[in-house]
Amino acid sequence: MEKLNLVLSKEKILQKIKELAEKIDKDFNNESLVFIGTLKGAFIFLSDLLRYIKNPNIQIDFVRVKSYGMSDTSSENVILTKDIEIPLEGKNVIIVEDIVDTGLTLKYLYEYIKKFNPKNLKICALIDKKERKKFNIPIDYVGFEIEKGFLVGYGLDFAEKYRHLPEIYEVIKDE
Ligand code: 5GP
């Protein structure tokens, strides 16, 4: 069994999410806005973020992008396994991502959504991992910058475990 070390408490996460929601509300000022959550990892982050958004003109959708493998390393292979259902042409769109590591998934998604000609395309990520960035896509709304480690909880999994945890932990693997 792996061990878990606490990295971000519930309180810290929710405080940061409140701040992100305030910034988004300020930037879009009741203009219509589509939030696209990336499954499965961002499902808890998106639902908490939305509860602090005051803008009444929002729509919500989900996309699922998979990079191959169940391991803790990102692969070069990205596929879309659930598409967006809301038309995005001429809309303000925010991609809501749980964690950005190499940036490959985000680059793929950003380029995919751009093809629908949104009016505005922004990115919101709860965690930006600085350690392994290969593809540099600017993130407009960042929750936390974390240097290293494999994180679980608050939507993030390790082989599908730990998504339900209300805090974020680093996985410490047995030698
Ligand atoms: P990237 O394409 O940026 O290398 O990786 C992004 C995806 O890899 C995330 O959406 C997430 O699914 C997974 N990932 C990257 N780092 C971590 C991590 O520390 N913990 C977990 N649970 N998933 C991660």
Side-chain angles (χ1 to χ4, degrees):
M1 266 298 272
E2 55 281 345
K3 278 197 295 198
L4 302 183
N5 271 358
L6 183 68
V7 177
L8 297 168
S9 67
K10 264 197 286 201
E11 294 73 23
K12 226 173 165 177
I13 297 169
L14 288 179
Q15 180 52 43
K16 186 60 80 178
I17 288 177
K18 262 189 225 174
E19 291 167 22
L20 291 175
E22 275 167 24
K23 271 192 211 148
I24 293 170
D25 272 334
K26 206 167 146 220
D27 290 354
F28 288 92
N29 196 25
N30 289 358
E31 270 186 62
S32 67
L33 184 54
V34 185
F35 287 86
I36 310 248
T38 57
L39 294 170
K40 299 179 195 175
F43 82 110
I44 295 183
F45 173 40
L46 179 64
S47 56
D48 276 345
L49 179 71
L50 292 172
R51 276 177 272 204
Y52 291 111
I53 294 283
K54 297 204 173 81
N55 184 343
N57 298 313
I58 67 160
Q59 290 180 305
I60 299 145
D61 206 346
F62 292 94
V63 68
R64 182 148 200 223
V65 179
K66 274 179 107 168
S67 45
Y68 275 110
M70 299 271 281
S71 72
D72 63 357
T73 54
S74 302
S75 129
E76 301 289 314
N77 283 319
V78 183
I79 50 163
L80 194 82
T81 59
K82 189 227 163 283
D83 209 342
I84 298 152
E85 291 161 29
I86 291 179
L88 300 180
E89 186 161 353
K91 305 262 183 76
N92 294 311
V93 177
I94 301 190
I95 301 170
V96 180
E97 175 67 295
D98 44 355
I99 188 162
V100 182
D101 186 6
T102 62
L104 175 73
T105 309
L106 199 54
K107 180 175 183 280
Y108 174 92
L109 251 186
Y110 188 86
E111 285 168 2
Y112 179 74
I113 294 177
K114 265 274 175 215
K115 291 192 190 132
F116 295 104
N117 293 320
K119 179 178 169 194
N120 236 304
L121 181 56
K122 303 278 187 201
I123 297 168
C124 174
L126 181 62
I127 295 166
D128 186 10
K129 271 166 101 170
K130 290 281 165 197
E131 189 192 22
R132 284 204 290 160
K133 193 83 66 260
K134 275 202 264 175
F135 304 89
N136 228 337
I137 299 272
I139 305 175
D140 305 279
Y141 307 98
V142 182
F144 301 95
E145 288 185 352
I146 304 267
E147 288 303 320
K148 58 184 166 71
F150 189 79
L151 306 176
V152 294
Y154 201 73
L156 297 169
D157 74 312
F158 176 59
E160 292 304 327
K161 285 197 295 182
Y162 307 126
R163 288 195 198 275
H164 65 294
L165 300 177
E167 307 86 8
I168 291 178
Y169 296 85
E170 181 183 355
V171 176
I172 312 292
K173 291 191 193 136
D174 282 341
E175 302 285 285

